[in-house]
């Protein structure tokens, strides 16, 4: 057995803290540093940050990131924010610096399928990996797992695949996200203002699910997407909604009457002139205000139309908390685990970009599976 993997956590927010809870209880890992952005985490011991005894590692301020980039470690778990346009270029520079310093990077916020960003964009990360003898892997629950790994695995029951759809239902009130982040995603805004959010639109149009669908298109059909399109439906509340942590809610937020309490985003990928790939995300604020009747938080549904068989499948994930005071949602834990379980694979991988594999899946020509 090798020595424990030396791990750096970048971004101890809701996702990062879920990762810390798991990393600190596993003997395979040694968390040697963490980089934080907010005053609530900077300088604090990472054990105390997640309600555990101190471990002697304090969160380093982002302003002092170079000290972390220069230290010795096997892998960085990148659990930062969405790659909004105003920070995306700086994120790229930071990740490239980490790769060039010899550290493998596993990200849950972007880099899910770099070829979708074009040859030049892909090349600069491949060069950084070569220079640092390192690897980069983008993962998470969605994007990263449910569509790229689970749905594609299920297509292994089909000879021909006509259509693949993933639907995700998520209670954002209990997600651990800040009120500022939720309003940045459209909650508590007027439907018109939510529809005109440019920061989130850039994430949708350039990253996230366009990368998921591009990966699936290449894997299933051996060709890139012809077209990507999306639309959104915003659900307004009939009365003011008040979320108050003093009353037991998970967040402090006021949604004025007529403003957004839930939303559905539909992402479609075209191959051979028709929609063959689809992701739908249903986001709401608490079950009591959700317009999606009968749908629970942390639910994923997959539909595959094909031959000689079609299938549907539904998954509900629940948290089995080790600490009754731990209110981390199942979504954060399963996202963190896709990153943590990737550490051994990524550290052992040859320098370059790591892509998710599912052994075998549906394909337009089964000979394509030789290199999948």
């Amino acid at each position: 057995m090798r020595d424990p993997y030396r791990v750096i956590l970048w971004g101890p927010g809701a996702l990062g803290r879920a990762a810390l809870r798991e990393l600190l209880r596993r003997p395979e890992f040694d968390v040697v540093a963490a980089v934080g952005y907010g005053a609530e985490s900077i300088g604090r011991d990472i054990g105390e940050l997640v309600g555990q005894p101190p471990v002697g590692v304090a969160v380093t301020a982002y302003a002092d990131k170079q000290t972390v980039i220069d230290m010795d470690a096997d892998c960085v778990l990148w659990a930062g924010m969405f790659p909004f346009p105003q920070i995306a270029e700086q994120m790229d520079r930071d990740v490239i610096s980490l790769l060039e310093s010899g550290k493998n990077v596993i990200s849950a916020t972007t880099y899910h399928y770099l070829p979708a960003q074009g040859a030049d964009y892909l090349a600069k990360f491949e060069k950084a990996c070569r220079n640092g003898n390192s690897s980069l892997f983008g993962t998470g629950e969605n994007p990263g797992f449910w569509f790229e790994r689970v749905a594609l695995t299920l297509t292994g029951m089909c000879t021909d695949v006509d259509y693949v759809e993933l639907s995700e239902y998520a209670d954002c009130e209990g997600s651990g996200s800040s009120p500022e982040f939720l309003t940045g995603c459209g909650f508590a805004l007027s439907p018109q203002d939510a529809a005109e959010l440019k920061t989130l639109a850039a994430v949708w149009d350039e990253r996230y699910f366009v990368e998921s669908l591009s990966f699936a298109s290449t894997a299933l059909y051996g060709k890139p997407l012809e077209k990507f399109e999306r639309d959104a439906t915003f659900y307004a509340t009939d009365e003011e909604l008040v979320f108050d942590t003093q009353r037991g809610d998970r967040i402090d937020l006021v949604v004025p009457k007529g403003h957004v309490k839930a939303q559905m985003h539909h992402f479609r990928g075209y191959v051979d002139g028709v929609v063959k790939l689809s992701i739908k995300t249903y986001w709401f604020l608490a079950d009591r205000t959700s317009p999606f009747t009968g749908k629970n938080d942390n639910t994923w549904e997959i539909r595959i139309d094909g031959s000689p068989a079609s299938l549907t499948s539904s998954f509900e994930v629940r948290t089995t908390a080790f600490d009754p005071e731990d209110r981390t949602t199942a979504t954060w834990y399963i996202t963190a685990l896709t990153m943590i379980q990737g550490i051994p694979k990524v550290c052992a991988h040859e320098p370059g970009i790591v892509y998710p594999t599912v052994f075998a899946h549906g394909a337009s020509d089964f000979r394509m599976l030789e290199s999948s």
Side-chain angles (χ1 to χ4, degrees):
M1 288 279 186
R2 58 157 288 160
D3 291 337
Y5 296 96
R6 293 170 58 83
V7 179
I8 295 169
L9 177 74
W10 201 288
L15 170 58
R17 295 184 193 201
L20 275 177
R21 288 187 179 94
E22 292 300 295
L23 289 166
L24 292 176
R25 74 182 193 89
R26 300 289 303 204
E28 309 96 307
F29 307 108
D30 181 13
V31 183
V32 297
V35 175
Y37 297 88
E40 72 282 358
S41 63
I42 293 172
R44 294 184 62 187
D45 187 277
I46 60 172
E48 295 177 337
L49 198 61
V50 294
Q52 298 184 22
V55 298
V57 176
V59 177
T60 300
Y62 176 75
D64 299 321
K65 63 185 175 181
Q66 194 60 46
T67 62
V68 174
I69 293 173
D70 291 341
M71 71 188 311
D72 178 46
D74 296 303
C75 189
V76 178
L77 296 190
W78 187 282
M81 290 183 64
F82 270 22
F84 292 124
Q86 61 269 34
I87 62 173
E89 290 187 3
Q90 184 60 55
M91 287 175 61
D92 289 349
R93 288 192 290 270
D94 289 339
V95 169
I96 286 172
S97 293
L98 289 165
L99 293 169
E100 290 180 335
S101 75
K103 298 174 188 62
N104 302 292
V105 177
I106 299 176
S107 170
T109 59
T110 187
Y111 314 120
H112 296 101
Y113 188 57
L114 290 178
Q117 304 299 330
D120 291 343
Y121 188 80
L122 171 63
K124 68 180 182 179
F125 287 93
E126 290 180 326
K127 179 181 179 181
C129 290
R130 289 193 302 271
N131 291 343
N133 194 35
S134 56
S135 296
L136 172 63
F137 179 42
T139 188
E141 56 87 13
N142 186 35
F145 186 80
W146 291 110
F147 205 88
E148 292 92 323
R149 294 169 65 181
V150 178
L152 262 64
T153 296
L154 294 175
T155 67
M157 300 178 183
C158 305
T159 299
D160 298 309
V161 180
D162 300 318
Y163 179 72
V164 182
E165 178 181 286
L166 170 69
S167 297
E168 174 184 75
Y169 296 86
D171 176 1
C172 297
E173 182 257 347
S175 68
S177 299
S178 68
E180 294 78 15
F181 179 81
L182 292 179
T183 54
C185 292
F187 286 106
L189 302 182
S190 70
Q192 180 178 347
D193 287 344
E196 293 176 355
L197 278 174
K198 302 232 182 300
T199 52
L200 191 58
V203 175
W204 294 151
D205 291 338
E206 299 171 13
R207 310 258 184 166
Y208 266 61
F209 300 121
V210 67
E211 294 187 343
S212 291
L213 299 184
S214 295
F215 175 84
S217 178
T218 301
L220 293 174
Y221 307 113
K223 59 183 73 174
L225 287 180
E226 292 175 358
K227 183 171 70 170
F228 171 81
E229 65 182 18
R230 64 175 176 85
D231 56 53
T233 302
F234 297 97
Y235 299 81
T237 179
D238 295 329
E239 59 183 7
E240 182 182 78
L241 298 177
V242 178
F243 296 92
D244 185 351
T245 54
Q246 296 298 314
R247 300 188 318 200
D249 293 324
R250 302 289 294 274
I251 198 169
D252 292 309
L253 181 69
V254 176
V255 182
K257 179 180 179 180
H259 288 54
V260 174
K261 66 173 182 177
Q263 48 191 290
M264 189 277 278
H265 297 268
H266 189 185
F267 309 90
R268 296 179 291 275
Y270 285 76
V271 181
D272 296 330
V274 297
V275 176
K276 286 184 175 287
L277 304 164
S278 172
I279 296 176
K280 298 177 180 178
T281 62
Y282 297 82
W283 293 351
F284 53 95
L285 295 173
D287 287 337
R288 63 185 171 87
T289 70
S290 173
F292 311 124
T293 306
K295 301 298 183 181
N296 299 321
D297 181 28
N298 299 322
T299 297
W300 292 264
E301 297 173 344
I302 295 172
R303 166 190 160 191
I304 298 171
D305 297 342
S307 64
S310 296
L311 62 98
T312 58
S313 185
S314 179
F315 302 85
E316 291 189 22
V317 181
R318 66 183 185 279
T319 302
T320 53
F322 304 100
D323 177 356
E325 299 300 317
D326 177 13
R327 301 184 71 186
T328 304
T329 66
T331 296
W332 290 131
Y333 272 128
I334 63 175
T335 300
L337 262 297
T338 64
M339 302 172 74
I340 293 170
Q341 291 189 7
I343 292 173
K345 291 284 190 182
V346 173
C347 288
H349 200 275
E350 63 184 24
I353 312 302
V354 181
Y355 300 107
T357 59
V358 294
F359 180 68
H361 48 73
S364 57
D365 185 324
F366 286 162
R367 290 171 294 186
M368 292 162 45
L369 298 177
E370 288 184 1
S371 59
S372 69

